[in-house]
Amino acid sequence: MNMNLQFLAMTIFLTTIFFHIIRRNSYTASAYAVQSLAVVLLLFRSFLATGSLSMLLTVILVLAIKVFLALHLFSNFVKKYKPGVSATAYLNLPLTLIVVAALSAFAHSRVFAPLAAIVPENAALLSLGIAGMLISLLLMVNRKGILSQIIGVLSLENSIVVFGLFAGLEQSAILQIGIMFNILVWLIITSIFSSMIYRHFGALETAEMTSLKE
Amino acid sequence: MTEFFASSRGFVVLLLLFAIGAAGSLLFNKNDRQANYWSNLFACAGSLWGMFVAIGALVAPEPVAFTLGFSPFSLLRFSFLLDRLAAFFLFVISLIAFFCSIYAIDYVKHYYGKYGIGTLGFFYNIFIAGMLLVASAANGLFFLVAWEIMSVASFFLVIHDRDEQENIRAGLLYLIMTHLGTAFIIAAFLLLYRSTGSFDFSAIQSGGAAISPVVKNAVFVLSLIGFGTKAGIIPLHVWLPAAHPAAPSHISGLMSGVMIKTGIYMMIRVFLDLLAPFPLWWGVVLLIAGAVSALLGVLYALAEHDIKKLLAYHSIENIGIILLGLGSALTFLSLQLPTLALLGLVASLFHTLNHATFKSLLFLGAGAVINQTHTRNMEELGGLIRLMPQTALLFLTGSMAISALPPFNGFFSEWLTFQSLFQGIAATDSRTIWVFVIAAGSLAFTGGLALACFVKAFGAVFLARPRSNEAQHAREPSFFMLAGMWPLAALSLLFGIVSGYVANILQDVAGTLSVFQGFPSPFLLAETGRISAGGFSFVSPPVVFLLLLIALFAVFTAFNFLFFKKQKTTFGPTWDCGADLTPRMEITSTGFARSIILIFKGIMKPTMLKSVECRDGETRYLPKSREIRLGISNIYDTCLYKPAQDLALRFSLYARKMQSGLINMYILYILAALLGALYFSL
Amino acid sequence: MIRLLRKTVATPSPLISIDPSACERVDISVVGREIEDHVKRLFRGSLAIRQVDAGSDNAAEQELVALSNPFYDVERFGVHFVASPRHADMLMATGPVARNMAEALRRTYAATPDPKFVVALGDDAIDGGIFRGSYAVYDAVKNVIPVDYEIAGDPPSPRAILCALLKILETIGANSLN
């Protein structure tokens, strides 16, 4: 197993946990950029291994969209609307960490052994990927702020990419590019929608939106 | 010649006739007249062809089986089986559809310019074709498709008169109830598929031994509820009294005369043909269901003053009588008495045929009355015998037949039902004898009450004086309406007189079922038109008819030439004590039935609402007008459907709590579901 | 023709004349017995009378009611007052026939089954009595329906009615013998 690889996977996993800990939205956006950078590096490694040009194209696209465009959009977003300087959560920090720990343990448990056994040498990394997905989902559940939700979805997507890479599920470049395009559109739409919602209702917290239910 | 009719080609022609009728009437939607003639003439032609197909299949030595086209799904096959049972039901459906279509030619004219005749004709043809498909399908999935065609087409026919809110509500009730039934039927067929691996009836039949008793019982209960909903067994009958008044009368005649019989057909098919052998309690359950439906059906009919609702309740009663025959057949089969079972089945088939003829006649007659008077309320009719003598005679014929008065056909099929019940009392032991005793008692009671009910119906509608302005201006219906009713009345009499021969044919029909194979000696002997139930008893319909004719003649002559010889007859007005006679002095149908209802008030729960309006609002000493409303409380709504609805609502409210509207909550559900799914699948 | 004429001449007056003093003297039960004999013979034991009040001043009714009291008690002789002309053998019409009652009288007459006898009771019913000539009355029952017998008196006493009834029954008996 490569130390490099382990380091990148750890970075992604830790940023996922970091999302739970930090409260300032600007930090969250930066942490997402770091996580995406790690994903880019992972993809770049796979490009070096395979040397396919389309992979290179994927790497460049991912870099452009996930790292630069997303960072730009988020920082603009934070500056413009200040959706709560610090995001609020349903669970307090210790409880959140306990749940995160439980989810990680669950991801490493026997239940996921068959999944981890797809590529036996990467078993630990695969479990890490699964834990990343679960923790990202938890982020969406736990956080009230809309930015955290968006980051949660994107981080979930990152974890899936990592899992796919380590599991050796070779995704075709076309698919990757398609996903990137998807994310691009998604990012634009969410930012537009959130700004519209903010303008209309003056809030970007999900808890506030329950009043719109009926 | 008969081979051609009862073949795949003959059947395709049959379906084509209805298809052309349906498509053409849609094409002529703009022109009411053309659409009317096109759709009904093709329905006539199709039904006539259907009768030939049925007769061809009846006389064919072997059951006719064929598959049409090919289907994209392996389990669905458009396969048909025209054995004698199916052929018999095809015949009944075609026969009634033929006369209803003739009647419809003039009947639907009053819809001209009001509602589209094109859609009516379209659904009418589809509806008849659907019923024919139901009776001839030999594949479970194909059957369900046909069943659904029949149900949905009839739903659209029920709501044809769609300007009245009440009709729409009735149609929706019908739609819900029929789909409730269909859900049970689907479950039954899926269970059969699980056990036998096929939806084909033949495969289910041959694989019947492999079905475990638990599954068999489940299938029995599911299909009893499913087909019972269509047939109108109490307490699944609630749609019948709502849907029949809403539908145009020739549709009511078809629905009540034959559509509800498809439920009976499928019960015979599934219970006797596919699932035999079966435990004893199936037959007992059917007997009890039949007894309850017969008795309660006629009681509710008695309380009704809407003429079509009254007829609808009588359909429930007659379905009960048919079920008594069928139930005794099942009971005898599980007691290893196949000859008696044959008797019971013949009784039920015969009553099916008879009820189809006289009930459609009654509905058509009621339609003629309603068409002229624009009211279904019997309290506003009366005196029509002078204005519509032919209709009155036809309605009287139908009433006598349904009240089981000889020499009409209703008497002989009820006689056969009685015989099979008596045989049950005589031949079974103490485990089942009580059921037969109760069933026979209830049937006897039902017969008496049915007579009372039709005395009420005929008296209130046709006798005395008109109770409303509309009833004073009624005229005899036009040619085709009468032409549709007269043959039905003639058939009611004819099937009575030749019931010996009819019973013989029906014995052949029932005898071809696999459960009766290998029993050479039929219990029921019919020779020279005489029906004889195994030496236990016999009745000779032609002799009964002749005796009645002679008695009638003798009484007439005696009165005219012996007793009244010297007396002069003068006609004068009714003595009215100096007052003027008004229709309000006549006995009302409510008043006629009230005493009987009060006897049964434990079951019927009659209600009485009194309200007094006073001139002096506060002190209430000087009443201005009093209003009394008599009715029957709907115990099925309050005791069965309302609690079920409340339960569903409460569950829905509970389920609604899950819908917090909070996006985090939904994602939590996703997370939980994901974890759960992963946990259980990995 | 001659027979008809002779019959016309010979047709006795419908007025039943009785001798009042003779009637005063005779015992009611004796009259009653004779009535009973006739009723038994002619009406099989029961004579049903329907009384019609055609605008009477109620005097005649009082006397007719008295017939049913315990003193006279005509029911024991087989004479009944019935509630419907459908049951009646005999109509007893009282009063000068007020215009509003003429139609009722006609209908009652029509509703009475044949054979029937119509008796006009009291002077008002015979010729209008003290009301004669009034614009409100038809003056006599016979102007409205055919009358067979008339019992005079304003009003006739119960005893007189009984005697007259006996006379009527005798006449009917004599006619039926012919």
Side-chain angles (χ1 to χ4, degrees), chain C residues 54 93 95-99 101-110 118 125-126 137-147:
Chain C
V97 193
R99 282 180 189 278
M101 285 307 287
E103 180 57 30
L105 188 61
R106 271 189 216 106
R107 284 197 205 173
T108 311
Y109 181 77
V118 180
I126 294 170
V137 299
Y138 284 104
D139 282 355
V141 174
K142 62 172 176 265
N143 294 343
V144 180
I145 57 173
V147 169

Side-chain angles (χ1 to χ4, degrees), chain B residues 22-67:
Chain B
S25 90
L26 267 195
L27 277 181
F28 290 129
N29 200 15
K30 288 265 161 54
N31 188 332
D32 286 342
R33 233 177 83 83
Q34 280 171 7
N36 173 19
Y37 280 101
W38 182 276
S39 63
N40 285 320
L41 286 180
F42 269 94
C44 276
S47 326
L48 202 59
W49 191 274
M51 275 190 258
F52 285 123
V53 170
I55 291 169
L58 273 176
V59 299
E62 288 291 312
V64 184
F66 51 88
T67 306

Side-chain angles (χ1 to χ4, degrees), chain B residues 97-172:
Chain B
F98 180 66
F99 294 119
C100 284
S101 307
I102 293 178
Y103 176 91
I105 294 174
D106 269 348
Y107 177 77
V108 299
K109 279 182 182 163
H110 77 278
Y111 290 124
Y112 279 7
K114 208 168 152 202
Y115 303 110
I117 302 297
T119 48
L120 180 72
F122 174 75
F123 286 118
Y124 183 66
N125 278 284
I126 297 285
F127 174 49
I128 300 174
M131 286 195 291
L132 293 175
L133 287 178
V134 163
S136 53
N139 173 287
L141 282 182
F142 175 43
F143 158 76
L144 285 171
V145 171
W147 186 261
E148 214 39 26
I149 289 173
M150 176 181 86
S151 303
V152 173
S154 55
F155 161 71
F156 281 109
L157 292 172
V158 166
I159 60 164
H160 183 253
D161 197 352
R162 56 190 169 272
D163 278 358
E164 273 182 50
Q165 199 61 39
E166 201 185 330
N167 291 350
I168 301 287
R169 212 176 302 133
L172 282 180

Side-chain angles (χ1 to χ4, degrees), chain B residues 195-352:
Chain B
S195 301
T196 60
S198 173
F199 279 108
D200 282 337
F201 288 172
S202 53
I204 293 172
Q205 193 180 7
S206 53
I211 307 173
S212 71
V214 180
V215 173
K216 258 189 184 180
N217 288 341
V219 168
F220 169 73
V221 172
L222 289 172
S223 32
L224 181 64
I225 296 174
F227 296 125
T229 310
K230 188 57 99 182
I233 299 175
I234 286 177
L236 304 166
H237 67 286
V238 288
W239 65 270
L240 264 152
H244 282 333
S249 290
H250 64 297
I251 307 297
S252 320
L254 263 184
M255 283 173 70
S256 182
V258 287
M259 187 192 75
I260 60 173
K261 306 295 171 21
T262 56
I264 298 291
Y265 165 73
M266 283 312 289
M267 281 189 207
I268 298 175
R269 179 65 79 198
V270 172
F271 301 158
L272 282 175
D273 206 20
L274 302 186
L275 292 181
F278 35 76
L280 180 63
W281 64 271
W282 290 19
V284 174
V285 165
L286 279 185
L287 276 175
I288 294 171
V292 169
S293 297
L295 193 55
L296 287 183
V298 74
L299 279 176
Y300 287 122
L302 208 50
E304 204 50 68
H305 55 79
D306 178 327
I307 184 163
K308 286 181 90 175
K309 276 191 184 176
L310 179 140
L311 292 176
Y313 276 121
H314 271 287
S315 298
I316 297 167
E317 173 224 328
N318 280 283
I319 284 291
I321 296 173
I322 295 171
L323 278 184
L324 285 179
L326 184 59
S328 55
L330 258 71
T331 314
F332 290 137
L333 268 181
S334 31
L335 292 173
Q336 307 299 326
L337 297 165
T339 46
L340 288 181
L342 194 56
L343 173 69
L345 190 56
V346 167
S348 101
L349 288 180
F350 195 15
H351 201 68
T352 303

Side-chain angles (χ1 to χ4, degrees), chain C residues 3-5 9 13 15 18 43 46 48 51 65-66 75 93-94 98 109 118-119 125-126 128 142 149 157 161 165:
Chain C
R3 258 181 65 200
L4 195 67
L5 268 176
V9 175
S13 154
L15 187 67
I18 50 165
F43 295 95
S46 161
Q51 189 262 323
V65 165
E75 299 233 342
T94 58
Y109 181 77
V118 180
V119 177
I126 294 170
K142 62 172 176 265
Y149 305 103
S157 69
I161 295 173
L165 193 59

